[in-house]
Structures are given as C-alpha cells and as structure tokens.
Amino acid sequence: MRHQLLHAAVLAPNGQWLVQHRVNSPVHVLDGPTAMVDLAAEIQLRIRTTRNRTR
C-alpha cells in the first residue's frame, strides 16, 4: 500500500481475498491464501525491480 501497488485487501468469511489495486479499480477475488501469497510475491518483485532501476 505504501508504494501504491495495492489499495485494499480484505479477507472474506469464505477464505477468499477481495483485492483492489487502485481506488476506482474493480475488485478482484483471489481464491485462498495461495493466491494471496502469489500476489505478495508479484508486488515484491515490482518493488525490487523499481528499486534497481532507480539506483
């Protein structure tokens, strides 16, 4: 959220994650914790790639 790569992530009662990348973007449904970990890995990769380009 700090790097503006994710606006919100909410765990639904059924174990799915509701994710929104920007304020006005559509909400995506992630099926369970594995999908959330995959999203976190993707965000980390973007952060590292951005850092390497600015150094």
Side-chain angles (χ1 to χ4, degrees):
M1 292 182 202
R2 186 172 76 190
H3 297 281
Q4 299 178 353
L5 297 171
L6 187 64
H7 174 68
V10 178
L11 178 61
N14 62 358
Q16 293 178 322
W17 283 89
L18 306 176
V19 177
Q20 189 175 25
H21 293 280
R22 303 262 186 262
V23 175
N24 295 324
S25 68
V27 175
H28 298 279
V29 178
L30 302 179
D31 291 324
T34 303
M36 192 61 182
V37 170
D38 291 343
L39 176 63
E42 180 184 324
I43 290 171
Q44 286 180 336
L45 180 63
R46 281 193 231 164
I47 291 170
R48 288 184 185 138
T49 303
T50 303
R51 279 188 197 158
N52 289 340
R53 277 191 247 149
T54 58
R55 288 184 178 179

